[in-house]
Amino acid sequence: MERIVDHVSSQRQRPRPRPVVLVVARSPQAVDAAREALGAQHIVLGARSGGRAIALAAQEPRPHLVVLDEDLPDMAALAVLEALHGDSRTRDVPVVFTGTQATFDRLCRFVGCLADFIVQPVGAEVLKARVRLHLDLQRLREDLRERECALQREAARGAGLEASLDAANSDLAAIGYSVSHDLRAPLATLSAFASSLLPEQASLSEKGRDRLDRIVTASRRLRDTVDDVLRYCGAAHAPMCIQPVDLADIADDVIAELGAGTDTRFSVEPLPRVRADRTMMREIMENLVGNAIKFSACRADARVEIQAHTAGELAQIVVRDNGIGFDMGYRDKLFRLFQRLHPQAEFPGSGVGLAVVQRLVTRQGGDVAADSVAGGWTSFSFSVPLCQPAWSTACAADRAAGGTLR
């Protein structure tokens, strides 16, 4: 948009040539009077017949305005007006007609091609004022046409860039998937051969055993990273099946699976039914709940809460934990691929999970957000369309009671 404004501004700042005004009148005195009144700021062309006027109007320099007197020697002025309006080269040139009141009454059918009418006699100041008015209007019309053309060019350019970006994203996803998929086979072979040597560690030197452990650990980590990249690529292109989904059931399953064997206490408020892809909702919950468990495990009183709020036809799902949190100055990095805010040795992971969450939520028309208070709670939230907007009323009593403690 700034380019369009700059373009139009430059057009306005560019020195314009003096406007050309064609004065058509039988009387040479009338032409001379118009030339005297307008000549200081305009190029005034004179024509003393209708035929000459039609010829001059179609030549270069093309007039910006025609002042047409009703009294002509060779043809009716209305015939000249019709000829100018019927020629594509002069159709848009405004015509100011000068004549008697009786003539004005007969001009109703030319209202679409007549810019103005001045009842004779025409004074110099009136003529200058009307000419200036209609030339200003003509310039405004030209500026609007230039702006429209600039907007059309910008729209075409934007459409082209969008198509190129879509193609580039598709290519990038295809490359990522292909590379990751092709790496899996050699990685599996490497990991298998390395693992097969583990029973023979006793025959290796201390340095050999250390190197073997490093190979096994690195190959497993790389295999996990490749699997995560495949998940990230799949999040952008996996088919969706939008249907009513009960988030309470998903939360129960995820907590039962990921919370087993931990000391984490879970608190889950009543959760709504939403319109979403069930598989994607499950993966979103697994990533957020898994992170909450991981980053709060260092606390003896580790807690994870799942809450729900409504805003219109959207549900806002919040997963909170009282873990170590993060510096809000790095919040923008959280949802980027391979971005980590904590050392791998302390908190294992590939830095892909939150990027996957953002992709899955965005594909379903929602948004993601994160918030953290030092020494307090950390929250990750996402929005998703409600299946039944009246859910908040039905569950108000349950939510007021504090939800379900697990």
Side-chain angles (χ1 to χ4, degrees):
M1 183 58 71
E2 291 179 358
R3 286 192 291 270
I4 297 172
V5 174
D6 292 342
H7 169 77
V8 174
S9 299
S10 66
Q11 291 293 102
R12 289 176 176 170
Q13 294 168 3
R14 188 182 303 164
R16 294 179 182 269
R18 286 196 301 166
V20 177
V21 178
L22 173 60
V23 178
V24 187
R26 173 199 291 267
S27 167
Q29 290 82 7
V31 174
D32 291 341
R35 187 173 281 118
E36 182 177 350
L38 304 173
Q41 296 180 341
H42 310 81
I43 298 173
V44 180
L45 303 179
R48 295 174 55 192
S49 68
R52 176 66 176 159
I54 295 171
L56 281 176
Q59 295 176 8
E60 296 292 344
R62 194 87 32 90
H64 297 88
L65 180 74
V66 175
V67 179
L68 177 61
D69 189 88
E70 70 171 342
D71 185 20
L72 298 177
D74 58 336
M75 58 193 302
L78 298 183
V80 177
L81 185 60
E82 270 189 322
L84 293 176
H85 187 65
D87 190 328
S88 60
R89 295 169 297 178
T90 56
R91 180 176 297 131
D92 295 329
V93 177
V95 177
V96 177
F97 201 98
T98 66
T100 64
Q101 183 64 47
T103 304
F104 174 72
D105 294 337
R106 300 198 307 270
L107 287 178
C108 293
R109 67 190 180 97
F110 292 99
V111 67
C113 54
L114 189 64
D116 203 352
F117 187 97
I118 306 175
V119 178
Q120 295 174 343
V122 182
E125 292 304 317
V126 172
L127 180 62
K128 284 195 291 185
R130 297 291 183 87
V131 167
R132 183 168 58 251
L133 169 65
H134 289 290
L135 287 175
D136 287 345
L137 289 173
Q138 186 75 343
R139 291 192 190 100
L140 285 174
R141 283 191 289 268
E142 290 173 359
D143 286 344
L144 286 173
R145 279 195 293 267
E146 289 171 0
R147 181 173 296 187
E148 183 180 6
C149 290
L151 283 169
Q152 289 174 349
R153 288 194 296 271
E154 191 73 8
R157 182 175 178 274
L161 287 175
E162 185 177 358
S164 298
L165 183 60
D166 288 342
N169 284 335
S170 297
D171 290 344
L172 186 60
I175 291 171
Y177 185 87
S178 177
V179 170
S180 300
H181 187 272
D182 291 345
L183 282 174
R184 295 184 81 183
L187 271 176
T189 302
L190 174 63
S191 180
F193 276 113
S195 298
S196 68
L197 292 175
L198 290 176
E200 303 177 23
Q201 276 186 316
S203 62
L204 298 176
S205 65
E206 182 178 350
K207 183 179 292 186
R209 288 194 296 273
D210 178 67
R211 288 175 177 173
L212 179 59
D213 287 339
R214 287 173 180 267
I215 291 173
V216 172
T217 301
S219 62
R220 288 173 178 170
R221 185 184 303 166
L222 184 56
R223 181 194 60 200
D224 292 341
T225 300
V226 168
D227 289 341
D228 286 338
V229 171
L230 286 172
R231 283 199 304 124
Y232 181 74
C233 294
H237 300 285
M240 291 195 302
C241 177
I242 302 299
Q243 59 184 318
V245 176
D246 193 333
L247 289 182
D249 288 346
I250 291 179
D252 288 342
D253 291 345
V254 170
I255 290 172
E257 179 180 330
L258 301 182
T262 72
D263 295 326
T264 304
R265 296 185 69 199
F266 296 93
S267 176
V268 183
E269 291 189 359
L271 300 178
R273 285 165 60 84
V274 297
R275 288 191 56 79
D277 181 279
R278 181 177 179 83
T279 302
M280 291 183 177
M281 282 293 107
R282 167 84 187 211
E283 188 165 2
I284 291 168
M285 280 292 196
E286 285 178 349
N287 277 289
L288 295 182
V289 173
N291 277 355
I293 294 172
K294 177 169 64 176
F295 289 106
S296 63
C298 56
R299 294 181 59 112
D301 60 341
R303 293 184 61 190
V304 173
E305 298 181 354
I306 303 178
Q307 303 172 345
H309 313 285
T310 59
E313 297 186 356
L314 290 178
Q316 191 81 12
I317 311 301
V318 183
V319 178
R320 306 173 70 228
D321 69 81
N322 63 343
I324 63 169
F326 62 87
D327 185 340
M328 286 290 286
Y330 297 99
R331 178 168 55 180
D332 291 342
K333 297 177 61 178
L334 286 171
F335 297 99
R336 297 179 188 172
L337 192 63
F338 298 129
Q339 294 297 316
R340 298 177 48 84
L341 302 186
H342 304 287
Q344 169 77 20
E346 295 181 23
F347 299 97
S350 61
V352 173
L354 290 178
V356 171
V357 167
Q358 184 180 48
R359 274 203 167 183
L360 294 177
V361 171
T362 301
R363 284 195 65 194
Q364 296 174 93
D367 294 310
V368 293
D371 187 71
S372 186
V373 177
W377 287 80
T378 297
S379 302
F380 286 87
S381 63
F382 65 92
S383 59
V384 61
L386 278 167
C387 185
Q388 296 175 340
W391 164 84
S392 57
T393 302
C395 293
D398 287 339
R399 198 183 319 112
T404 304
L405 186 65
R406 292 178 171 85

